């Protein structure tokens, strides 16, 4: 890591713009973007994401911004033209080591470096600072007045960088040990899937206390993408067909039901007429549930009836339930989960042919041990 990278990153975070920071620093936007990438890689954190023509700071960036600002302020006080000329942080730490050791020779021995290499690095640092930092004599080396000033700032910067890099080290260790399980989104805290995931997490903690389990819920499409990209080690998927490159185990079938208010369902004489007369809230096509809903509608309605359907896409079960209860919508949802969410919701079971599967899916090879461990814990319930 180098001093200019921290100064550039601080400007980017303050301006919330690569181009804005580049203008302020009179640098090429590409070099500013490269500096951001270097810092993100060094501390293992994404600091900013593109949003249209601008950028949005991540939550981690907002948390770390004060530390990065402190580091940039120290560097700016320490070095003239801090945004344009740079030194490596290692060179600063080595300067402090020389002062502590009392000589370049002793410091080189401690650092396991060649003395000529360390001498050249110190000379380069003095060139950037614009003044001698060490007085060299037969008795060794001691800091000049400017060296004392820079040394105090180096110690301050060391403390700030230690906090940033320690957090990165902790994140790396945790990330390296953590098993990542993706799951389709549970319908509520009392749903069968929510209970399954909670039980699995609790059993995993007892069985592997030193290997955390991270559970993240999203759509089936995102889960498949995450498995392919290595973001997930395994996933709970509600899809009819699993891509052939993955291994899978069926966990359970969840019968579906047409859901509406009791009054709406009781007053309906013809199911087809009911479906075409009321808006239907459905998840987006990214979900396995939506694929099951589409299969049901295709099997139940003729082409002319399907053209009359009013489908509203909502990727939130709580919102769908509110639309049913308070705005006269219909939906198709897992029957058991509906009864757990609200007992007063009316429902018409759709039969076994329209049940929704839940499968544990994992990539072959290294993912097999994770999948088998999860299956063993679930089978031991």
């Amino acid at each position: 890591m180098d001093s200019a990278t921290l100064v550039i990153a601080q400007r980017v975070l303050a301006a919330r713009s690569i181009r804005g920071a580049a203008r302020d620093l009179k640098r090429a936007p590409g070099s500013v973007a490269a500096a951001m990438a270097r810092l993100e890689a060094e501390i293992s954190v994404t600091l900013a994401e593109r949003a249209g023509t601008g950028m949005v700071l991540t939550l981690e960036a907002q948390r770390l911004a004060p530390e990065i600002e402190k580091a940039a302020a120290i560097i700016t006080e320490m070095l003239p033209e801090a945004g344009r000329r740079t030194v490596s942080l290692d060179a600063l730490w080595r300067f402090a080591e020389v002062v502590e050791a009392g000589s370049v020779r002793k410091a080189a021995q401690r650092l396991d470096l060649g003395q000529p290499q360390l001498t050249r690095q110190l000379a380069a640092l003095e060139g950037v600072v614009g003044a001698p930092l060490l007085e060299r004599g037969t008795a060794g080396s001691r800091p000049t007045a400017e060296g004392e000033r820079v040394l105090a700032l180096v110690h301050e910067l060391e403390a700030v960088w230690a906090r940033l890099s320690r957090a990165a080290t902790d994140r790396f260790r945790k990330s390296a040990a953590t098993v990542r399980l993706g799951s389709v989104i549970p319908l509520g805290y009392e749903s069968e899937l929510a209970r399954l995931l909670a039980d699995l997490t609790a059993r995993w903690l007892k069985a592997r206390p030193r290997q955390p389990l991270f559970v993240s819920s999203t759509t089936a499409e995102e889960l498949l993408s995450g498995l392919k990209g290595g973001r997930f080690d395994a996933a709970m998927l509600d899809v009819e067909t699993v891509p052939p490159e993955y291994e899978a185990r069926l966990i359970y079938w969840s019968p579906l039901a047409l859901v509406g208010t009791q009054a709406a369902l009781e007053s309906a004489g013809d199911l087809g007429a009911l479906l075409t007369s009321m808006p239907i809230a459905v998840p987006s096509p990214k979900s396995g549930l939506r694929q099951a809903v589409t299969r049901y509608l295709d099997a139940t309605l003729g082409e002319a009836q399907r053209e009359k359907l009013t489908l509203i896409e909502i990727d939130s079960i709580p919102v769908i339930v509110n639309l049913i209860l308070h705005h006269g919508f219909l939906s198709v949802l897992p029957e058991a989960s509906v009864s757990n969410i609200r007992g007063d919701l009316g429902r018409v079971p759709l039969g076994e042919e329209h049940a929704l599967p839940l499968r544990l899916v994992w990539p072959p090879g290294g993912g097999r041990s994770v999948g088998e461990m999860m299956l063993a814990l679930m089978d031991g319930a």
Side-chain angles (χ1 to χ4, degrees):
M1 180 51 51
D2 62 275
S3 60
T5 292
L6 287 165
V7 172
I8 293 169
Q10 188 276 325
R11 292 290 185 92
V12 172
L13 296 181
R16 297 182 181 237
S17 167
I18 295 286
R19 293 190 177 276
R23 284 194 300 270
D24 291 344
L25 295 167
K26 297 181 174 57
R27 282 178 170 266
S31 70
V32 173
M36 282 293 288
R38 282 196 300 275
L39 180 59
E40 288 177 329
E42 187 74 21
I43 64 175
S44 305
V45 169
T46 299
L47 296 172
E49 296 175 345
R50 289 186 179 276
T53 57
M55 63 187 297
V56 176
L57 302 188
T58 63
L59 294 177
E60 276 290 270
Q62 295 177 47
R63 184 179 69 82
L64 296 175
E67 296 288 4
I68 296 171
E69 185 175 0
K70 286 178 189 175
I74 293 167
I75 291 166
T76 301
E77 184 178 351
M78 183 191 307
L79 306 173
E81 300 183 46
R84 298 193 63 81
R85 302 188 68 187
T86 190
V87 295
S88 71
L89 298 191
D90 281 344
L92 297 174
W93 312 154
R94 288 169 183 174
F95 163 64
E97 185 69 30
V98 170
V99 174
E100 182 180 334
S103 77
V104 175
R105 181 180 59 81
K106 290 180 180 178
Q109 290 173 344
R110 288 186 186 181
L111 296 167
D112 196 23
L113 291 174
Q115 186 172 336
Q117 178 186 353
L118 182 55
T119 299
R120 287 194 300 270
Q121 200 165 41
L122 291 170
L125 175 58
E126 290 176 326
V128 174
V129 172
L133 300 177
L134 293 168
E135 291 180 354
R136 298 168 176 84
T138 56
S141 301
R142 64 179 185 177
T144 62
E146 180 65 6
E148 293 282 6
R149 184 188 76 86
V150 170
L151 181 64
L153 293 171
V154 167
H155 288 321
E156 288 183 40
L157 183 60
E158 275 186 305
V160 174
W161 183 248
R163 291 193 290 272
L164 286 169
S165 58
R166 182 167 56 246
T169 301
D170 291 345
R171 278 189 296 273
F172 177 78
R173 288 173 179 166
K174 186 174 181 181
S175 176
T178 297
V179 170
R180 296 152 298 174
L181 172 64
S183 170
V184 293
I185 303 169
L187 275 75
Y189 82 97
E190 291 185 336
S191 70
E192 190 171 6
L193 177 56
R195 289 196 296 271
L196 173 67
L197 291 172
D199 290 345
L200 174 59
T201 302
R203 293 191 184 97
W204 185 279
L205 178 61
K206 290 181 180 179
R208 298 197 171 187
R210 296 183 180 277
Q211 188 176 31
L213 176 65
F214 170 72
V215 181
S216 177
S217 296
T218 185
T219 63
E221 187 173 296
E222 291 295 328
L223 292 170
L224 286 170
S225 175
L227 284 171
K228 184 175 182 180
R231 297 193 304 276
F232 297 118
D233 299 297
M236 294 285 192
L237 283 168
D238 58 356
V239 294
E240 178 96 358
T241 304
V242 176
E245 63 266 32
Y246 299 111
E247 298 180 22
R249 157 90 173 264
L250 178 68
I251 305 302
Y252 61 74
W253 288 93
S254 182
L256 298 179
L258 177 66
V259 182
T261 61
Q262 293 280 5
L265 296 181
E266 289 172 0
S267 64
D270 177 71
L271 197 56
L274 175 66
L275 290 168
T276 55
S277 66
M278 299 175 68
I280 304 173
V282 294
S284 74
K286 292 182 177 182
S287 70
L289 177 56
R290 171 61 179 279
Q291 302 304 320
V293 173
T294 300
R295 288 192 295 272
Y296 163 69
L297 294 175
D298 288 346
T300 304
L301 302 175
E303 185 174 348
Q305 288 177 309
R306 290 200 300 273
E307 291 180 356
K308 295 179 182 179
L309 290 174
T310 301
L311 300 181
I312 306 298
E313 292 183 356
I314 304 287
D315 272 331
S316 169
I317 299 303
V319 174
I320 289 177
V321 172
N322 272 276
L323 287 170
I324 295 169
L325 290 171
H326 306 300
H327 300 280
F329 278 62
L330 297 173
S331 189
V332 175
L333 299 171
E335 187 176 359
S337 297
V338 172
S339 62
N340 288 330
I341 294 172
R342 285 289 294 261
D344 57 343
L345 283 173
R347 53 194 181 277
V348 176
L350 303 187
E352 292 183 0
E353 65 272 24
H354 295 297
L356 185 70
L358 182 78
R359 292 183 171 89
L360 180 66
V361 180
W362 62 88
R368 180 174 298 163
S369 61
V370 171
E372 291 176 349
M373 177 66 177
M374 291 180 179
L375 291 173
L377 291 173
M378 286 187 283
D379 289 344

